[in-house]
Amino acid sequence: MFKVGDKVVYPMHGAGIIESIEEREVLGEKSQYYVMHLPVGNMKLFIPLNNVENLGLRQVISPSMVKDVLEVLRTKDTAATLAWNRRYRANLEKIKSGNIFEVANVVRSLAQRDNEKGLSTGEKKMYENACQILISELVLTEGSEEEAVRQWLSSALILA
């Protein structure tokens, strides 16, 4: 169980803060929901409490783990080149996992592929989404502004 004020990550959406716990009626059935505000993108989500484990909701990483994320971003991608559809599915599974290191891996590999060969339209969208998810968690972890984290991420990827 999370409490109001907790900083959490919702896979495929990013990191946010639990603002409240509310009871709502949906399709005639009352359930309790976390009301989560995502500062990056300024979105509000309602997450059913009875489905939190299946959705993969978790606490944001600790500030001491940011250096490990940087390590992933700076590592040269040596994975074998898969056909675009297999690569896309593999990257989508990594993003769905909600694991920040897997998301950082996707960001790094797509950034490197973009520099070398360019990305398809679908991969560009995936890259933007993965960056947004990564940035949202780092903003809450570091207590930084979104633009500062974007610049940090850009410089980390340039050095890779």
Side-chain angles (χ1 to χ4, degrees):
M1 283 290 286
F2 299 103
K3 59 187 182 308
V4 173
D6 282 353
K7 297 174 182 177
V8 296
V9 177
Y10 186 11
M12 296 296 291
H13 293 281
I17 301 167
I18 295 178
E19 290 185 333
S20 63
I21 300 172
E22 297 180 5
E23 185 171 86
R24 296 211 162 210
E25 187 174 326
V26 177
L27 301 173
E29 191 173 316
K30 287 186 178 185
S31 296
Q32 289 205 315
Y33 291 84
Y34 288 124
V35 180
M36 181 177 163
H37 177 253
L38 286 86
V40 176
N42 198 24
M43 200 164 63
K44 193 173 277 199
L45 299 173
F46 292 85
I47 304 164
L49 264 67
N50 62 359
N51 204 19
V52 166
E53 273 191 37
N54 294 339
L55 297 173
L57 206 64
R58 65 168 176 80
Q59 295 278 350
V60 297
I61 62 168
S62 66
S64 64
M65 295 174 72
V66 173
K67 65 180 177 356
D68 298 328
V69 173
L70 182 60
E71 184 75 25
V72 171
L73 293 170
R74 288 190 172 165
T75 305
K76 187 74 173 155
D77 190 13
T78 57
T81 305
L82 300 171
W84 74 268
N85 57 343
R86 285 187 176 192
R87 188 174 59 244
Y88 186 90
R89 277 189 299 223
N91 285 336
L92 187 59
E93 287 305 311
K94 289 177 183 178
I95 294 170
K96 281 182 180 179
S97 77
N99 182 312
I100 191 168
F101 301 109
E102 293 291 339
V103 174
N105 182 296
V106 170
V107 168
R108 182 208 56 228
S109 65
L110 290 177
Q112 288 176 5
R113 182 156 189 86
D114 192 26
N115 287 336
E116 294 166 6
K117 298 180 181 180
L119 296 174
S120 68
T121 303
E123 285 181 315
K124 281 182 187 174
K125 181 93 174 121
M126 177 180 280
Y127 175 66
E128 291 167 8
N129 186 39
C131 284
Q132 187 81 359
I133 292 168
L134 184 61
I135 288 167
S136 72
E137 185 161 1
L138 294 172
V139 161
L140 289 181
T141 297
E142 294 284 290
S144 301
E145 293 295 318
E146 180 180 351
E147 191 53 40
V149 174
R150 280 190 187 283
Q151 289 174 358
W152 176 87
L153 179 59
S154 293
S155 62
L157 291 171
I158 289 170
L159 298 173

